[in-house]
């Protein structure tokens, strides 16, 4: 029995997130105007099986230096120490601690640790998982307070809370 359980747990398929077909997007108000940007450089491991959520997990990162707001001067500033400090903290990481069924039919809920600039905070959010091309596409969104992670200093022109939207393809 132990061997069967061990085999079943080890047989769960592992997926790799890809930049192709993925989008890691954020929106924040700056001077009262919504400003958005994207990150790329997705890497990590996803194990997902709707029939075995206890054995499923996400450990996914993006490269902080890839921040792209369609404004090179702003992007360069965001890479500096008062924002993402990409030289010292090259990755932004999301690592799940638990995945459950959501109260919304056909959706799931992830509890995770989000690490930005060496600061780790718990986040939780609903997401969908759509099978595609031998893998999955995961869609979800959550809000964070940038000050919790030491991003942007004490800027009063920039909102504290921002929204992060994830559309992650994993094969």
């Amino acid at each position: 029995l132990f061997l069967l359980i061990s085999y079943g747990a080890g047989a769960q398929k592992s997926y790799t997130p890809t930049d192709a077909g993925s989008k890691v997007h954020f929106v924040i108000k700056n001077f009262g105007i919504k400003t958005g940007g994207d990150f790329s450089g997705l890497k990590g491991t996803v194990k997902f099986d709707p029939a075995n959520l206890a054995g499923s997990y996400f450990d996914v990162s993006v490269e902080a230096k890839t921040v792209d707001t369609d404004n090179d001067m702003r992007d360069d500033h965001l890479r500096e120490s008062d924002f993402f400090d990409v030289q010292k903290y090259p990755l932004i990481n999301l690592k799940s601690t638990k995945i459950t069924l959501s109260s919304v039919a056909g959706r799931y809920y992830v509890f995770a640790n989000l690490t930005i600039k060496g600061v780790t905070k718990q986040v939780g959010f609903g997401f969908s998982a759509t099978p595609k091309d031998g893998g999955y596409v995961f869609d979800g969104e959550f809000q964070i307070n940038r000050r919790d992670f030491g991003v942007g200093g004490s800027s009063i022109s920039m909102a504290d809370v921002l929204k992060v939207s994830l559309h992650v393809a994993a094969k």
Side-chain angles (χ1 to χ4, degrees):
L1 182 60
F2 176 74
L3 289 174
L4 287 174
I5 292 170
S6 295
Y7 175 75
Q12 189 170 21
K13 186 156 181 180
S14 190
Y15 303 96
T16 302
T18 63
D19 278 333
S22 295
K23 187 166 191 165
V24 177
H25 185 73
F26 66 90
V27 175
I28 189 168
K29 283 189 178 178
N30 192 20
F31 291 107
I33 299 168
K34 286 185 179 180
T35 303
D38 301 299
F39 289 96
S40 58
L42 270 167
K43 58 181 105 179
T45 303
V46 174
K47 282 198 176 188
F48 184 77
D49 180 353
N52 182 13
L53 294 178
S56 298
Y57 70 87
F58 301 101
D59 186 356
V60 181
S61 298
V62 292
E63 295 177 10
K65 70 180 180 185
T66 65
V67 64
D68 181 1
T69 63
D70 289 331
N71 180 314
D72 291 340
M73 283 181 50
R74 178 173 44 221
D75 296 345
D76 288 343
H77 187 208
L78 291 175
R79 292 180 186 107
E80 293 176 2
S81 62
D82 54 334
F83 283 89
F84 292 110
D85 197 359
V86 303
Q87 293 299 319
K88 189 171 181 183
Y89 304 103
L91 298 177
I92 296 171
N93 179 259
L94 179 80
K95 186 171 186 175
S96 66
T97 56
K98 183 178 179 181
I99 299 173
T100 64
L101 283 173
S102 171
S103 59
V104 178
R107 290 185 57 86
Y108 306 91
Y109 198 86
V110 62
F111 299 86
N113 289 322
L114 177 65
T115 303
I116 302 173
K117 283 184 76 174
V119 176
T120 301
K121 297 286 183 180
Q122 292 181 335
V123 296
F125 57 94
F127 70 94
S128 64
T130 307
K132 184 175 181 181
D133 300 331
Y136 282 93
V137 174
F138 301 97
D139 287 292
E141 63 182 38
F142 58 94
Q143 292 186 347
I144 59 171
N145 186 321
R146 67 177 177 82
R147 290 180 191 248
D148 289 345
F149 298 93
V151 175
S154 59
S155 172
I156 58 171
S157 64
M158 187 171 32
D160 291 344
V161 176
L162 63 123
K163 182 170 79 170
V164 178
S165 301
L166 303 172
H167 179 84
V168 177
K171 295 184 180 186

